[in-house]
């Protein structure tokens, strides 16, 4: 795609980009071309359709070329556009945080089912803050905390909370260390759960760009479940709930850990693809 004397209209640019990205192994290349061009032109996709014959300026082409070049190198679309939708809200994202996945919306839904209006809730490994902020948006009277080891992740989460005008206390540190003696009605986590040896087999968008410390779950992918479950009872109110997102074929192992540590009413919730996506349990004396 060169400027020169050639006229590049919106439609021509889209058609060229579709073929180029497809050659680079990008699925849904036409859709991604539209998202990138809409971002470059500050339009929505309907706006693109209404301007198919509009010639792009040299400045617009330069901006778009840079975005397409980044995507061709398999940088995630969300990092290029610096945003991702989650549970009906838009979140700022960067390489400092894991990109929110729609599968994780199930974890939020299950948490909301078990939360009271004034629950105290802890989100471990908060990343962009998408879980904690979505909970705060739906539970305005709740007291919600998010912790993360990454200072850059905490900064991103705070920016997202400000954008959505909700109050969440974000703290930097490992697991339960930042919250000291506090106890919670609900603890929720989407921890790193990819086995270490499988990281290099992931798609380039994931293994080359997303933060490794948000992916690597140790030798068997279960390291952080063990750590959280071991300490959780020290920071939970009686009848408190612990909820996890789990990876493929991990749910039964997490269930066994919960049973061993006095959790009852344990449930496994599947996602729309039938994958066992969420595991939750109630500590000791859970009411019927």
């Amino acid at each position: 795609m060169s400027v020169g004397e050639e006229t590049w209209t919106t439609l021509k640019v889209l058609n060229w980009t579709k073929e180029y990205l497809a050659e680079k192994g990008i699925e849904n290349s036409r859709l991604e071309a539209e998202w990138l061009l809409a971002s470059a032109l500050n339009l929505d996709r309907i706006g693109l359709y209404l301007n198919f014959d509009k010639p792009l300026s040299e400045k617009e082409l330069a901006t778009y070329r840079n975005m397409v070049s980044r995507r061709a190198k398999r940088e995630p679309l969300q990092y290029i556009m610096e945003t991702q939708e989650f549970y009906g809200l838009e979140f700022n994202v960067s390489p400092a945080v894991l990109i929110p996945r729609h599968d994780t919306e199930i974890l939020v839904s299950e948490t909301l089912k078990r939360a009271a209006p004034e629950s105290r809730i802890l989100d471990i490994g908060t990343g962009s803050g998408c879980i904690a902020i979505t909970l705060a948006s739906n539970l305005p009277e709740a007291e919600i905390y998010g912790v993360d080891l990454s200072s850059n992740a905490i900064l991103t989460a705070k920016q997202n909370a400000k954008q959505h005008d909700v109050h969440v206390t974000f703290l930097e540190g490992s697991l339960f260390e930042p919250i000291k003696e506090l106890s919670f009605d609900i603890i929720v986590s989407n921890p790193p759960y990819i086995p270490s040896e499988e990281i290099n087999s992931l798609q380039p968008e994931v293994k080359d760009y997303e933060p490794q410390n948000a992916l690597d779950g140790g030798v068997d992918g279960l390291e952080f479940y063990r750590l959280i479950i071991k300490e959780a009872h020290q920071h939970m109110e009686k009848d408190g709930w612990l909820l996890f997102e789990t990876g493929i074929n991990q749910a039964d192992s997490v269930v066994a850990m919960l049973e061993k540590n006095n959790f009852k009413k344990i449930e496994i919730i599947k996602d729309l693809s039938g994958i066992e996506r969420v595991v939750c349990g109630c500590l000791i004396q859970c009411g019927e």
Side-chain angles (χ1 to χ4, degrees), residues 70-87:
R70 291 169 64 184
R71 187 66 188 104
K73 296 174 183 176
R74 304 300 290 270
E75 182 175 352
L77 181 71
Q78 295 89 340
Y79 288 159
I80 298 170
M81 298 178 63
E82 300 181 347
T83 186
Q84 170 65 12
E85 185 270 338
F86 180 84
Y87 218 90

Side-chain angles (χ1 to χ4, degrees), residues 2 18 42 57 62 86 118 129 143 240 242 266-267:
S2 59
K18 173 189 174 182
N42 198 27
S57 69
F86 180 84
E118 297 182 356
E143 185 179 352
L242 177 60
I266 298 170
E267 297 180 56

Side-chain angles (χ1 to χ4, degrees), residues 148-159:
D148 202 289
L149 188 61
S150 165
S151 58
N152 288 329
I154 291 296
L155 179 61
T156 299
K158 287 180 177 179
Q159 292 170 342

Side-chain angles (χ1 to χ4, degrees), residues 125-150:
T126 196
S128 66
C130 64
I131 294 173
I133 290 166
T134 302
L135 293 173
S137 179
N138 285 273
L139 298 167
E141 297 178 16
E143 185 179 352
I144 299 179
Y145 291 74
V147 300
D148 202 289
L149 188 61
S150 165

Side-chain angles (χ1 to χ4, degrees), residues 35 79 88 93 98 105 120 125 166 173 200 213 226 236 254 267:
W35 280 118
Y79 288 159
V93 294
L98 196 71
E105 293 176 351
R120 179 184 284 173
V166 298
N200 287 333
N213 62 357
R226 294 189 186 93
M236 296 183 71
V254 176
E267 297 180 56

